[in-house]
Amino acid sequence: MGDKGFSAHFSIVCFFSIFVTMHLVLGDLSYSFLEEMERGSVIGNVAKDLGVDLRTLSSRRARVDIEGTRKRYCDININTGDLFISERIDREGLCGKKASCVVKIDLVFENPLELHRVSLLVQDVNDNSPKFRENLMKMEIRESSEKGSRFSIGVAHDADIGQNDIQRYILQTNEHFILAVENKVVALVLENKLDREKQKEINLLLTALDGGSPQKSGSVVIHVTVLDANDNAPVFTQAVYKASVPENSPPETLVITVSATDADEGVNGEVTYLFGHISGEDASLFSIDAKTGKITIAGEIDFEETTSFEMSVGAKDGLGLIAYTKVLINIEDKNDNVPQIFLKSLSNPIPENVATDTEVGIINVQDRDSEKNGQVRCSIQENIPFKLVSSIKNYYSLITTGQLDREQVSYYNITITATDEGSPPLSSSKTLQLSVADINDNPPVFEEQSYSAYVSENNKPGSTLCSVSARDKDWRQNGTVIYSLLPGEVNGASLSSYLSINGDTGAINALRSFDYEHPFLKENYEQQL
Ligand SMILES: *[C@@H]1O[C@H](CO)[C@@H](O)[C@H](O)[C@H]1NC(C)=O
Ligand SMILES: *[C@@H]1O[C@H](CO)[C@@H](O)[C@H](O)[C@H]1NC(C)=O
């Protein structure tokens, strides 16, 4: 105890010394005094209180008697009769929390032998501070705790009693807690809800105060760890994710990685990814890695089927709070479709006398790809009397560019080639056979300019005299030659009475027996078309 403490103590001694009272109950004495008084402090005068002459104290060998090894505490000054403190008296050591602390000593006189019981009432002095069991109290409180929740904390102890014992607690002003003390139970009461994501740890200073004078106090720091509650849903880094991927990309091609974070801890903050609403077909085209959020290709992506996908992707934390984001996947066209050629109409065969610039066919080309990949140019080979003229989009007319002659070229293999403008370009071709129909535009031509035959007279009627032959370059009927004799007269008789011709074979037969002596016979014939 310092000087200040001592002077305070001293004043208490003075104050109490007025009240140090003497009790004489059946010859017994009682003194009340403060603990921890200095050695030699007088607490009473037994000579006076017992009404004994001072001089007899010495002769009667007055003394404080103790039993065994017990402490003596007090002694008597036989010259003055004063009872004084001979040893430190610590009330807490003697009596603990007992409300009254009485130490009994015996005062012995001899000759004649006399025993006086003296009760020493040791009064408490506020010489102990309130003490908490530890300097730091650790608590864990879940952030989901409701307002008004109570959390009991350990109380402080003060060895002193009565007013000198703990009278109240003070909690340092803070945002979240107030203090409730009831029936010696101290509790923190939640006033404002906690939020671990804002403040993970809170230190509170709790002070216990006693009622002594001077007042003593003891403090403890309450370290509150705010435990996580799954109060945060995952949050995606973007509200919409946009990606672009070429069609026909092989499986496992990475499209995009989505990412969400969850402010909670542990399981509460563990995010797994999944597809939200997605149509059954789309679901088989893409897959998502639950852990990494990587969206990859799982099926065949065909731009010509679908040019873009919109899907919802969810992020779920360990306890099922879920957040969604939108993923837009744009599919890029690849030149993967060969142009197709369709023959829409064709005049086949076409007559060989068809006029130049006549449309003989209509061709349509189609390419399922887009933009340049779907732009198609069409051509046919050169050196044929045809050309392609582009009419409306993707339609071409096949037009004649010159005179046809079936007898020269009876059909054309026209190869149409369609090529798109992709890179690399794709092309396809189609060959159509266009026949040229006959027109009867060629007269029959005899193999010889003239035919001569010599016949012996007296020939048999019906014998063949000779054969003529003509050819016609036209087709079938138009090229079939029928022979006939032109009408004529020989010596007044018709020619047909002398000769006949086989229309099919051109064989000329005699109809009668000729007589040399008859005038010269001249054969004549004519073809018939
Ligand atoms: C036309 O095509 C046919 C088969 O398609 C072929 O047999 C014929 O030789 C071709 N003709 C010409 C003149 O190329
Ligand atoms: C013969 O020519 C005519 C026109 O001169 C034509 O109409 C006819 O179809 C042709 N016959 C054959 C078998 O080609």
Side-chain angles (χ1 to χ4, degrees):
M1 200 173 287
D3 285 351
K4 218 176 161 193
F6 176 74
S7 61
H9 184 197
F10 183 71
S11 66
I12 294 166
V13 171
C14 295
F15 173 77
F16 269 96
S17 58
I18 301 165
F19 296 98
V20 166
T21 46
M22 174 204 77
H23 298 272
L24 235 178
V25 184
L26 299 173
D28 283 357
L29 294 172
S30 178
Y31 297 100
S32 181
F33 58 95
L34 296 173
E35 62 168 323
E36 305 284 358
M37 284 173 85
E38 295 242 326
R39 243 171 246 165
S41 302
V42 176
I43 56 172
N45 189 293
V46 289
K48 214 166 101 198
D49 295 338
L50 291 172
V52 179
D53 188 346
L54 270 181
R55 284 166 294 180
T56 62
L57 289 179
S58 161
S59 59
R60 291 187 67 186
R61 300 188 59 196
R63 64 178 185 277
V64 171
D65 206 23
I66 53 156
E67 299 153 9
T69 59
R70 231 191 71 171
K71 283 190 173 178
R72 176 178 295 274
Y73 302 119
C74 289
D75 227 332
I76 187 166
N77 181 334
I78 45 172
N79 297 322
T80 61
D82 286 341
L83 192 63
F84 63 92
I85 304 284
S86 64
E87 264 175 299
R88 175 178 171 243
I89 301 179
D90 175 26
R91 193 203 64 78
E92 288 73 32
L94 281 171
C95 303
K97 279 294 200 182
K98 264 192 240 165
S100 87
C101 186
V102 181
V103 178
K104 298 212 159 149
I105 55 171
D106 294 337
L107 192 60
V108 181
F109 293 92
E110 286 179 15
N111 199 20
L113 186 65
E114 215 177 287
L115 181 76
H116 297 274
R117 301 222 75 176
V118 179
S119 293
L120 304 175
L121 264 75
V122 184
Q123 304 285 341
D124 186 40
V125 163
N126 192 19
D127 57 350
N128 288 284
S129 301
K131 274 201 181 76
F132 287 94
R133 269 234 322 257
E134 59 260 285
N135 294 328
L136 185 71
M137 215 184 266
K138 288 186 175 176
M139 295 182 77
E140 293 184 338
I141 299 179
R142 198 157 288 281
E143 61 174 325
S144 55
S145 301
E146 293 299 332
K147 185 182 167 183
S149 303
R150 284 169 171 260
F151 307 94
S152 295
I153 48 181
V155 291
H157 290 275
D158 191 317
D160 296 323
I161 56 166
Q163 273 299 113
N164 294 336
D165 197 357
I166 294 166
Q167 299 302 313
R168 63 197 179 102
Y169 290 88
I170 297 174
L171 183 68
Q172 185 189 31
T173 314
N174 69 93
E175 238 183 287
H176 297 282
F177 296 97
I178 54 166
L179 202 64
V181 186
E182 268 170 31
N183 299 326
K184 299 216 168 182
V185 175
V186 181
L188 293 179
V189 179
L190 190 61
E191 267 281 284
N192 290 311
K193 285 202 74 174
L194 301 168
D195 184 356
R196 191 199 66 83
E197 289 71 34
K198 262 195 204 154
Q199 197 179 2
K200 277 186 201 170
E201 290 171 350
I202 301 169
N203 283 328
L204 303 166
L205 184 69
L206 177 67
T207 306
L209 296 164
D210 65 23
S213 176
Q215 195 172 46
K216 291 191 181 232
S217 66
S219 293
V220 66
V221 173
I222 303 173
H223 179 90
V224 178
T225 303
V226 182
L227 295 182
D228 188 44
N230 192 22
D231 56 349
N232 288 280
V235 177
F236 276 103
T237 55
Q238 286 170 237
V240 178
Y241 290 84
K242 289 181 183 171
S244 211
V245 71
E247 63 172 326
N248 308 331
S249 293
E252 289 174 27
T253 302
L254 178 65
V255 179
I256 196 169
T257 304
V258 296
S259 168
T261 53
D262 190 304
D264 292 324
E265 271 183 332
V267 173
N268 295 342
E270 262 171 35
V271 176
T272 54
Y273 301 93
L274 64 155
F275 282 129
H277 66 85
I278 180 170
S279 79
E281 279 176 32
D282 294 359
S284 64
L285 295 180
F286 297 97
S287 71
I288 188 162
D289 187 310
K291 271 197 180 153
T292 62
K294 284 186 190 333
I295 296 176
T296 50
I297 299 228
E300 261 182 42
I301 307 292
D302 185 1
F303 175 85
E304 285 70 40
E305 289 280 325
T306 318
T307 58
S308 67
F309 293 88
E310 182 179 326
M311 58 186 79
S312 136
V313 171
K316 195 169 74 169
D317 67 22
L319 290 177
L321 282 181
I322 193 160
Y324 290 99
T325 190
K326 198 194 271 186
V327 176
L328 300 176
I329 300 172
N330 182 49
I331 306 301
E332 296 159 17
D333 186 37
K334 281 272 164 187
N335 194 17
D336 62 342
N337 286 283
V338 170
Q340 285 180 295
I341 300 166
F342 299 97
L343 196 56
K344 288 295 179 183
S345 78
L346 183 67
S347 309
N348 191 18
I350 45 166
E352 56 182 320
N353 66 346
V354 74
T356 300
D357 280 337
T358 302
E359 182 183 78
V360 297
I362 296 173
I363 287 142
N364 171 235
V365 287
Q366 288 174 18
D367 190 314
R368 297 180 67 220
D369 293 321
S370 292
E371 315 260 306
K372 289 216 153 189
N373 294 337
Q375 274 169 24
V376 181
R377 271 180 305 186
C378 224
S379 64
I380 54 172
Q381 77 268 39
E382 291 179 352
N383 306 324
I384 53 168
F386 296 95
K387 66 176 178 187
L388 274 185
V389 173
S390 157
S391 50
I392 53 172
K393 191 175 180 284
N394 292 338
Y395 280 85
Y396 294 85
S397 295
L398 184 63
I399 309 256
T400 57
T401 57
Q403 212 58 58
L404 306 184
D405 183 1
R406 191 204 66 81
E407 288 70 36
Q408 295 278 322
V409 183
S410 64
Y411 71 91
Y412 291 93
N413 283 348
I414 301 177
T415 300
I416 303 159
T417 305
T419 307
D420 66 27
E421 291 182 11
S423 166
L426 292 175
S427 67
S428 67
S429 61
K430 189 183 192 100
T431 298
L432 55 99
Q433 201 170 64
L434 186 63
S435 303
V436 181
D438 189 45
I439 292 292
N440 196 13
D441 55 353
N442 290 284
V445 176
F446 278 102
E447 283 173 0
E448 312 281 340
Q449 284 299 311
S450 67
Y451 293 86
S452 306
Y454 297 91
V455 184
S456 305
E457 61 176 338
N458 302 325
N459 60 313
K460 275 187 191 159
S463 62
T464 297
L465 304 178
C466 71
S467 244
V468 296
S469 171
R471 290 191 186 279
D472 189 310
K473 289 189 196 162
D474 290 321
W475 180 246
R476 296 262 161 94
Q477 296 99 310
N478 294 338
T480 304
V481 177
I482 298 164
Y483 303 94
S484 65
L485 292 176
L486 286 180
E489 277 187 14
V490 178
N491 296 334
S494 83
L495 178 65
S496 58
S497 62
Y498 292 95
L499 295 171
S500 73
I501 188 160
N502 184 321
D504 293 335
T505 62
I508 295 172
N509 299 319
L511 290 179
R512 58 173 81 171
S513 187
F514 297 125
D515 183 357
Y516 181 80
E517 286 72 31
H518 270 75
F520 173 69
L521 263 182
K522 186 178 169 212
E523 286 170 28
N524 240 334
Y525 52 83
E526 202 175 306
Q527 80 232 43
Q528 186 177 326
L529 294 173

